[in-house]
Amino acid sequence: DTEVTQTPKHLVMGMTNKKSLKCEQHMGHRAMYWYKQKAKKPPELMFVYSYEKLSINESVPSRFSPECPNSSLLNLHLHALQPEDSALYLCASSQGRNRGEEKLFFGSGTQLSVL
Amino acid sequence: EDQVTQSPEALRLQEGESSSLNCSYTVSGLRGLFWYRQDPGKGPEFLFTLYSAGEEKEKERLKATLTKKESFLHITAPKPEDSATYLCAVQDVYNFNKFYFGSGTKLNVKP
């Protein structure tokens, strides 16, 4: 299994809703990432769980919160989002820190629309 | 500050017309340079990793090269199915969890 699976593929939510995005990989990768990508822009790193340690992009608002229940799963909890948060949310994983292990494997993304 | 700049922003080619995409970078210490392909509404798909100047990698019609300041993705005799956005990313040797992505080159290959 060489896939990163993201659910749901599409999500429409109101500004008062609470929702969660889910990401799963079964490749034994030690790092998992959340990226945000606006149209025609590069992916922007939001969070990294690497070797059980969370790293945060300090520019990410607190209405986004990551959760890593185990080494194969990574959730992104959403609360009180704004319309400008509408974007493609990408999950990725990488094998480890050694040369040849760094490349990112991306899921297909969740297209989020905030109304 | 680490930066990645890709050019051109968009490229239209006729089928069979070879060309090159450019990725120039500024980084404290390069751990690796990565090329990805992204189709609309999908996640990026890994193509190549390059680690040191002079290194080259090939896959079908694509060839990636690396110098100390930039990387090129050469596309030989492209086909319509090569149409996609090509992203370049660099990994800093001092922060291996962070990948700096360029804005990409959107390639359109006409039959």
Side-chain angles (χ1 to χ4, degrees):
Chain A
D1 186 355
T2 58
E3 283 192 349
V4 176
T5 303
Q6 288 188 243
T7 55
K9 292 192 182 303
H10 302 275
L11 179 62
V12 179
M13 60 187 291
M15 289 189 285
T16 59
N17 292 158
K18 285 185 181 181
K19 296 286 185 182
S20 297
L21 309 184
K22 297 184 184 299
C23 176
E24 190 170 6
Q25 58 88 13
H26 295 287
M27 295 178 279
H29 287 181
R30 300 300 301 275
M32 295 184 74
Y33 309 74
W34 280 113
Y35 282 86
K36 172 184 176 181
Q37 188 177 28
K38 303 280 273 185
K40 300 183 180 180
K41 297 290 186 182
E44 297 176 36
L45 181 65
M46 301 176 73
F47 305 102
V48 181
Y49 265 101
S50 178
Y51 291 80
E52 291 82 46
K53 183 180 177 182
L54 172 64
S55 298
I56 299 171
N57 180 343
E58 294 183 359
S59 68
V60 175
S62 59
R63 53 187 183 266
F64 296 91
S65 60
E67 178 199 13
C68 194
N70 59 56
S71 59
S72 299
L73 295 173
L74 184 64
N75 299 322
L76 184 63
H77 300 299
L78 316 173
H79 173 56
L81 294 192
Q82 303 297 309
E84 60 263 29
D85 297 322
S86 299
L88 181 67
Y89 288 83
L90 294 164
C91 177
S93 68
S94 61
Q95 184 177 355
R97 298 172 175 169
N98 297 323
R99 176 170 279 207
E101 297 179 344
E102 321 95 326
K103 59 182 176 284
L104 298 174
F105 291 77
F106 283 90
S108 292
T110 294
Q111 189 66 54
L112 174 66
S113 297
V114 182
L115 304 179
Chain B
E1 183 177 309
D2 296 348
Q3 286 190 338
V4 179
T5 304
Q6 291 188 245
S7 62
E9 288 186 16
L11 182 61
R12 298 182 68 174
L13 299 174
Q14 287 297 126
E15 184 172 2
E17 179 186 3
S18 301
S19 189
S20 296
L21 313 182
N22 177 264
C23 170
S24 61
Y25 62 90
T26 305
V27 65
S28 306
L30 181 69
R31 181 181 174 92
L33 185 142
F34 304 82
W35 282 99
Y36 292 87
R37 169 195 170 125
Q38 187 172 24
D39 293 299
K42 299 289 182 66
E45 176 187 349
F46 171 76
L47 293 173
F48 303 109
T49 309
L50 300 166
Y51 293 105
S52 55
E55 190 173 358
E56 298 181 352
K57 294 276 181 71
E58 280 190 76
K59 179 181 178 180
E60 296 180 354
R61 296 177 292 282
L62 300 177
K63 179 180 177 180
T65 62
L66 181 64
T67 72
K68 288 187 177 180
K69 296 290 186 185
E70 58 191 350
S71 176
F72 292 93
L73 185 66
H74 307 278
I75 303 178
T76 303
K79 298 182 178 182
E81 54 262 42
D82 295 322
S83 297
T85 295
Y86 290 85
L87 293 167
C88 168
V90 298
Q91 186 184 32
D92 192 316
V93 69
Y94 299 109
N95 188 353
F96 66 88
N97 282 330
K98 181 127 195 219
F99 294 80
Y100 298 88
F101 280 86
S103 296
T105 293
K106 185 173 182 179
L107 175 65
N108 188 1
V109 182
K110 294 289 190 181

